[in-house]
Amino acid sequence: MSVEFVSEGIPVSLRDLDELERRLGVELPSDYRSFLLRRNGGRVHDNDLATPEGEEIGIAVVSFLSLGSEGGDSMDEFLGVYSGRYPKELLPVAEAVGGNLILIRVEGRMKGEIYFWDHEQEGDEEPVWENLTLLAPSFDQFMEALVPYVD
């Protein structure tokens, strides 16, 4: 069972996505582009990330970032606050609990991979990979691994 959305972002167009890619100088993975076209981010019910074996690992998404929105869930806001704090091959796609991030790899051979970024372990002067944990090989697989939180 996948996680349910409480709210979604304002709908975006292919033109909006093309503009984002032009501005960032990257091509977004197709599954993430589809997500933005379908939902454009949004807040989700309490959730947890499960391993393929079904074990919950304590990484939860607060909200997925939206294009063109203002406020707490805006991708532009997160790009401004966190730019230069994670490797340049990555792009924030969601806010995780505890002020951490969920990032997607937008460059290189491993394009599309999803990572958890732990802000408490970030490098002092330059971004490091040591505070990143690979969560899924693709955005779609990451979404499939998000499950409702059960107390």
Side-chain angles (χ1 to χ4, degrees):
M1 178 198 285
S2 63
V3 69
E4 292 185 31
F5 279 74
V6 175
S7 66
E8 296 180 6
I10 297 167
V12 294
S13 67
L14 286 172
R15 180 187 222 174
D16 296 325
L17 292 179
D18 292 344
E19 171 60 25
L20 174 68
E21 289 177 332
R22 186 197 59 71
R23 192 166 41 102
L24 297 176
V26 300
E27 185 177 311
L28 299 174
S30 60
D31 55 353
Y32 182 57
R33 277 181 67 97
S34 294
F35 168 80
L36 290 172
L37 285 170
R38 196 171 56 254
R39 294 195 186 272
N40 189 26
R43 294 201 166 265
V44 289
H45 282 286
D46 291 345
N47 60 85
D48 201 341
L49 191 68
T51 66
E53 295 78 32
E55 177 187 346
E56 295 180 9
I57 59 176
I59 293 176
V61 170
V62 174
S63 64
F64 287 92
L65 306 183
S66 302
L67 306 184
S69 63
E70 296 179 11
D73 299 336
S74 165
M75 183 177 287
D76 282 337
E77 183 174 319
F78 274 71
L79 288 170
V81 170
Y82 293 99
S83 180
R85 295 174 63 183
Y86 50 80
K88 66 178 180 57
E89 299 89 348
L90 304 172
L91 177 72
V93 297
E95 178 183 10
V97 293
N100 300 303
L101 298 176
I102 304 297
L103 302 154
I104 192 168
R105 192 171 194 146
V106 292
E107 295 180 15
R109 191 171 60 85
M110 308 308 251
K111 182 177 175 177
E113 290 181 331
I114 304 297
Y115 293 86
F116 173 77
W117 179 80
D118 183 346
H119 75 88
E120 293 186 18
Q121 303 297 320
E122 72 180 296
D124 291 331
E125 296 179 23
E126 292 186 19
V128 296
W129 285 88
E130 287 79 17
N131 67 328
L132 292 159
T133 303
L134 178 64
L135 299 176
S138 71
F139 188 78
D140 282 348
Q141 288 176 299
F142 171 74
M143 292 300 290
E144 289 171 13
L146 277 181
V147 296
Y149 176 76
V150 179
D151 192 6

